[in-house]
Amino acid sequence: MRKKIVAGNWKMNCLLEEGQKLTSEIVNMIKDEPIKDVKVILNPPFVHLHGVKKLIAGVDNIALGAQNCSDKEAGAYTGETSAAMLASFGAEYVIIGHSERRSMFNESNELLTEKTKQALSNGLTPIFCCGEPLEIREADTHEDYVKAQLTESLFGFSEEEIKKLVIAYEPIWAIGTGKTASSEQAQDMHAAIRKHLSSKYGEAVAEEISILYGGSCKPSNAKEIFSKADVDGGLIGGASLKSRDFVDIAESF
Ligand code: 13P
C-alpha cells in the first residue's frame, strides 16, 4: 500500500508567532479529529523547523519537512543549509526541485540530482517536484517534458534509492493561480509518471512510490483529485497557511 500524504509548503510565509499559531491549530485539530492512514507533513521555512518540531512532538502522523537543502555536505557555503542539519533538527522530508526554485534560483536537473543524493544519504525522504509551464501544456508536450525532468535528475539512482522518494507533480500553470488541474489531467499525468518509473525500475517499484498533486489544491477540490487511482495526496501551498483548510484537505481521502 502506498503512503497517503498531505504536505503543506508554507513557502516564504509566517513570522515566528504566526508559524507557531498555525502549527498549534493544526496539531489541536488533528488531536481532536485523528486522521487515519494519512501522513501530514509541515514544511516551514528553515527558521521555523526547531519550533515546529517541538509543537508536533508526540503527534503520531504529523512529520516535519524542509523546503530545500544544499547540494553540498558541509563547509564554506554561506547561507546554505545542509541535509544533515535538517535531519539533526528532526526533519524527515525535504522538498527538492520546486518549480519556484527551478525558475527563480536556476536549479538545474543536474543540481537536483546532487540535492537528492544529499537528502538520501542523510536519511531524509525527498519530495521531488516536477511539472510543466503553461506553454508546454498548450503545446501538448507536457508528458515528455515531465518525463525528461525525472529521467535527467533521478534515473541514475538505484531501485533501493528511488523507492524512498515521494514525487510531487505540480503543473506550474496551476500553482498559486486558482486554476487547478482537473482530476482527469492530474490522473493522466500521475499515471504517465508511474509508467515512466515502471519502465526503468519495474512495476512493483513504481507501485510503491507516492505521487502527490500540487497546484491550487483546496478543500473544495481535494476530494475529487485524491479519489483518482494514481493520486496519493497533495503538496499544498496557499491553503496550508489556513489551519482549517489544510486539515480539511488532509481529511479529504
Ligand atoms: P498553491 O497550493 O498555492 O497553488 O501552491 C502549490 C505549491 O506550489 C506547493 O508546493
Side-chain angles (χ1 to χ4, degrees):
M1 267 288 279
R2 289 193 291 273
K3 224 185 249 174
K4 292 177 182 156
I5 296 171
V6 171
N9 176 8
W10 295 7
K11 307 192 180 183
M12 197 173 75
N13 291 296
C14 292
L15 305 182
L16 176 58
E17 285 178 8
E18 292 164 342
Q20 291 182 331
K21 181 166 175 281
L22 175 60
T23 307
S24 300
E25 287 172 2
I26 292 168
V27 164
N28 288 334
M29 284 176 198
I30 290 183
K31 275 185 184 157
D32 286 349
E33 315 153 27
I35 305 171
K36 269 207 219 119
D37 306 327
V38 180
K39 177 68 88 182
V40 173
I41 307 168
L42 304 183
N43 298 268
F46 293 141
V47 291
H48 282 284
L49 288 172
H50 188 56
V52 170
K53 180 67 187 172
K54 285 212 262 188
L55 291 169
I56 65 173
V59 189
D60 265 1
N61 51 349
I62 309 186
L64 185 67
Q67 298 173 17
N68 180 29
C69 69
S70 174
D71 59 313
K72 307 286 196 305
E73 183 68 43
Y77 302 102
T78 302
E80 287 293 275
T81 300
S82 71
M85 289 171 191
L86 299 178
S88 80
F89 274 70
E92 295 174 62
Y93 295 82
V94 58
I95 297 171
I96 291 180
H98 191 281
S99 61
E100 287 151 18
R101 296 217 56 90
R102 290 175 184 262
S103 66
M104 290 186 254
F105 302 95
N106 298 319
E107 295 196 353
S108 65
N109 290 331
E110 296 71 33
L111 181 83
L112 299 177
T113 304
E114 295 308 310
K115 291 190 174 205
T116 305
K117 276 186 200 163
Q118 282 299 324
L120 289 172
S121 65
N122 287 286
L124 299 174
T125 298
I127 302 176
F128 188 91
C129 300
C130 56
E132 80 286 357
L134 184 61
E135 62 273 19
I136 296 290
R137 170 63 66 163
E138 286 175 346
D140 201 24
T141 52
H142 45 287
E143 275 195 27
D144 286 345
Y145 184 93
V146 167
K147 283 187 205 167
Q149 286 181 321
L150 298 175
T151 304
E152 287 171 29
S153 289
L154 302 180
F155 277 18
F157 288 104
S158 69
E159 192 179 305
E160 279 315 304
E161 289 168 324
I162 207 84
K163 273 202 284 202
K164 294 183 178 148
L165 265 65
V166 171
I167 306 284
Y169 169 59
E170 299 203 305
I172 296 170
W173 45 272
I175 295 178
T177 57
K179 191 176 185 298
T180 322
S182 69
S183 55
E184 289 75 23
Q185 284 173 322
Q187 168 57 25
D188 286 352
M189 189 54 115
H190 284 222
I193 290 171
R194 203 176 302 287
K195 197 164 162 219
H196 189 53
L197 293 168
S198 171
S199 72
K200 166 81 180 167
Y201 295 100
E203 202 180 331
V205 170
E207 282 297 322
E208 275 188 47
I209 298 176
S210 296
I211 306 177
L212 314 183
Y213 168 79
S216 298
C217 199
K218 25 186 195 277
S220 58
N221 57 32
K223 204 178 181 71
E224 166 70 18
I225 296 172
F226 295 175
S227 72
K228 296 295 176 187
D230 287 290
V231 179
D232 304 305
L235 181 55
I236 319 299
S240 76
L241 300 172
K242 295 182 193 135
S243 52
R244 186 67 266 170
D245 284 2
F246 183 59
V247 175
D248 281 349
I249 292 171
E251 289 173 346
S252 295
F253 282 100

